[in-house]
Amino acid sequence: MNNARKPSSEPDRAQALAQYRRRAALYDLELTAFEPIRRRAIWRLALQRGDTVLDVGCGTGLSLALLRQEIGAQGRIVALDQSPEMIAKARERVAQAHWSNVTLLCSPIELAHIPGRADAALFHFTHDILRQPDAIANVVRHLKPQAYVVASGIKWTWVFPANLFVWSAAWHSATTLEGLTQPWSRLAESIGPMDVESLWLDTVYIASGTLRQKTGR
């Protein structure tokens, strides 16, 4: 029987866990080409010394060093991922660097017990998470008013041949193609308007915004 994974219309947790179990050992190498995007996304967070930042879907912790560089030893990082294999790699990274201000949580984002409230949140190449309203809601509940939020990843492009690249990347990193035209749309519904920068022939995006303050009684 052919058990090949096929992206569905909704994120599939079991498929995602299996997918990242397979990828954990080589994940850092696979993401090398996208490191300039990570750096630009983190720059868009406008972090300050002492800030608390959520690294949502942190994977093996590739963003941790860059985030800590911005917030300093007095700041705090709460990094979340549902994959035990990916979090294990992140724990190794934290232990080797002797970082005492990084908290790692292994949990589906919508169920995570996030401590306190953060000044910023990063969603870097986390398409499945961005298409889950409950996951977004849980993160937003733990953000301070006017917190900076940045999401980055791949998207469908008007440059048709380049969509072969998008499809291939999505096949390896997501379990759904739903919303791939504007992956940030559900996040924008929760935090407010987002500024979207398109890169790499419109195949990669960086969407940034701040959490709008609620109005009314």
Side-chain angles (χ1 to χ4, degrees):
M1 180 179 293
N2 184 0
N3 292 318
R5 182 186 64 80
K6 183 177 181 180
S8 63
S9 60
E10 297 294 335
D12 187 310
R13 181 170 180 244
Q15 285 186 359
L17 287 170
Q19 179 185 76
Y20 284 98
R21 186 180 304 118
R22 294 190 301 269
R23 294 183 64 196
L26 296 176
Y27 184 80
D28 290 8
L29 182 61
E30 292 175 355
L31 269 287
T32 300
F34 294 96
E35 287 310 295
I37 305 301
R38 184 191 308 277
R39 291 179 178 275
R40 188 162 183 82
I42 290 174
W43 174 75
R44 293 284 290 270
L45 282 173
L47 294 169
Q48 303 293 323
R49 292 297 198 198
D51 277 355
T52 295
V53 56
L54 304 181
D55 186 1
V56 185
C58 66
T60 61
L62 283 170
S63 295
L64 297 179
L66 294 171
L67 292 171
R68 194 174 185 279
Q69 190 175 46
E70 297 298 318
I71 65 173
Q74 63 270 45
R76 185 183 181 198
I77 302 169
V78 179
L80 310 91
D81 202 286
Q82 69 176 355
S83 167
E85 291 79 14
M86 300 291 270
I87 281 286
K89 294 289 185 182
R91 286 200 179 100
E92 291 176 8
R93 193 182 302 273
V94 170
Q96 289 172 2
H98 303 288
W99 293 326
S100 60
N101 61 338
V102 179
T103 300
L104 296 171
L105 301 178
C106 186
S107 169
I109 307 306
E110 64 272 18
L111 301 177
H113 297 287
I114 303 171
R117 301 178 80 188
D119 301 283
L122 174 68
F123 297 78
H124 182 67
F125 281 69
T126 57
H127 183 72
D128 280 9
I129 295 171
L130 288 170
R131 305 315 297 168
Q132 297 181 66
D134 289 347
I136 293 172
N138 193 29
V139 172
V140 170
R141 277 195 297 270
H142 293 87
L143 294 177
K144 298 176 183 178
Q146 299 300 307
Y148 284 89
V149 181
V150 172
S152 50
I154 55 173
K155 62 179 289 294
W156 291 133
T157 173
W158 56 270
V159 185
F160 181 75
N163 280 326
L164 293 175
F165 158 75
V166 176
W167 182 87
S168 177
W171 182 267
H172 291 288
S173 62
T175 66
T176 178
L177 301 181
E178 185 275 325
L180 205 57
T181 301
Q182 293 185 334
W184 60 88
S185 62
R186 289 180 177 170
L187 183 59
E189 290 173 2
S190 293
I191 73 165
M194 302 188 77
D195 176 63
V196 181
E197 179 182 11
S198 295
L199 304 162
W200 294 13
L201 294 177
D202 196 37
T203 61
V204 172
Y205 72 91
I206 301 175
S208 58
T210 57
L211 180 61
R212 61 187 169 193
Q213 292 183 325
K214 294 181 179 180
T215 59
R217 298 182 179 180

